[in-house]
Amino acid sequence: GAVVSQHPSWVICKSGTSVKIECRSLDFQATTMFWYRQFPKQSLMLMATSNEGSKATYEQGVEKDKFLINHASLTLSTLTVTSAHPEDSSFYICSARVGVQYEQYFGPGTRLTVT
Amino acid sequence: QKEVEQDPGPLSVPEGAIVSLNCTYSNSAFQYFMWYRQYSRKGPELLMYTYSSGNKEDGRFTAQVDKSSKYISLFIRDSQPSDSATYLCAMKEKSSGDKLTFGTGTRLAVRP
């Protein structure tokens, strides 16, 4: 149980374009999902908390207009990187909290390369 | 100073060895402690979850929390080549909602 998927697993886009990453909970309903980014050899950094049916909560320093998050259903959250630049190249990982427990289960990640 | 410190390694051990992975932290409000395993180019996988101080065992894995020293450990017994991965510690305050603070991860290589 508690399987989280992400799509795509790897995407290359040109500078200035937008790219959408999907995060799905496959065998449970997730009222809360989280988006992280991870640079090589660095920690996971929380970008935002996504709640179903409401606006996402962004961490300090994360541009909400650049990283659009939508959590339209209990099994799907999306992250859209708008007007992507090479410095946005990173590993983006989503996670979901199961029920009222504090454990988070992570998706396999999406590697974004902006050329 | 980072809130969570973790030696990045790499740590190389022979198959069958006991592995000790550690994190120190500075925030005394952390109450929940987790260990994740992350294979290359994959998302983290939850291994162990503990609340407050004490030990927790699950198969070959044992997690220890020493809140007085602000120090947590993960022990892996009878290590296998399939244990080769990056191990991340993560912590959470009781009152901080869902926000996890991660260490940078320790890269472990188990030699056959």
Side-chain angles (χ1 to χ4, degrees), chain A residues 10 32 34 36 38 41-46 49 59 91 93 97 101-109 111, chain B residues 2 32 34 36 38 41-46 49 88 92-94 97-105 107:
Chain A
W10 191 14
T32 305
F34 309 88
Y36 294 82
Q38 186 180 32
K41 300 184 180 180
Q42 292 190 25
S43 301
L44 278 78
M45 298 299 296
L46 179 65
T49 302
E59 294 299 303
F91 195 49
I93 310 175
R97 175 162 56 83
Q101 300 299 318
Y102 292 115
E103 302 102 303
Q104 291 182 24
Y105 291 86
F106 286 80
R111 185 160 301 279
Chain B
K2 293 179 182 177
Y32 298 90
M34 286 139 276
Y36 287 85
Q38 186 176 23
R41 298 177 183 268
K42 299 293 184 183
E45 170 193 1
L46 179 64
Y49 169 85
L88 299 151
K92 195 189 91 63
E93 295 180 22
K94 191 172 186 178
D98 294 297
K99 183 172 182 178
L100 298 180
T101 301
F102 283 86
T104 52
R107 193 153 55 93

Side-chain angles (χ1 to χ4, degrees), chain B:
Chain B
Q1 182 190 7
K2 293 179 182 177
E3 273 193 300
V4 179
E5 298 276 359
Q6 188 175 6
D7 187 334
L11 177 63
S12 180
V13 301
E15 183 174 355
I18 296 175
V19 176
S20 173
L21 303 166
N22 311 293
C23 288
T24 59
Y25 61 95
S26 56
N27 184 353
S28 57
F30 285 141
Q31 296 277 352
Y32 298 90
F33 304 91
M34 286 139 276
W35 284 95
Y36 287 85
R37 177 175 62 196
Q38 186 176 23
Y39 291 111
S40 182
R41 298 177 183 268
K42 299 293 184 183
E45 170 193 1
L46 179 64
L47 283 177
M48 299 288 284
Y49 169 85
T50 53
Y51 170 69
S52 196
S53 285
N55 293 358
K56 186 173 183 179
E57 188 173 321
D58 184 1
R60 296 186 295 113
F61 298 92
T62 300
Q64 285 186 353
V65 175
D66 182 350
K67 291 190 68 183
S68 63
S69 302
K70 296 191 179 69
Y71 187 88
I72 69 170
S73 300
L74 177 70
F75 297 96
I76 306 174
R77 290 183 297 281
D78 187 25
S79 56
Q80 303 295 310
S82 58
D83 294 329
S84 299
T86 296
Y87 289 80
L88 299 151
C89 62
M91 306 178 189
K92 195 189 91 63
E93 295 180 22
K94 191 172 186 178
S95 59
S96 67
D98 294 297
K99 183 172 182 178
L100 298 180
T101 301
F102 283 86
T104 52
T106 298
R107 193 153 55 93
L108 171 67
V110 181
R111 308 186 303 272

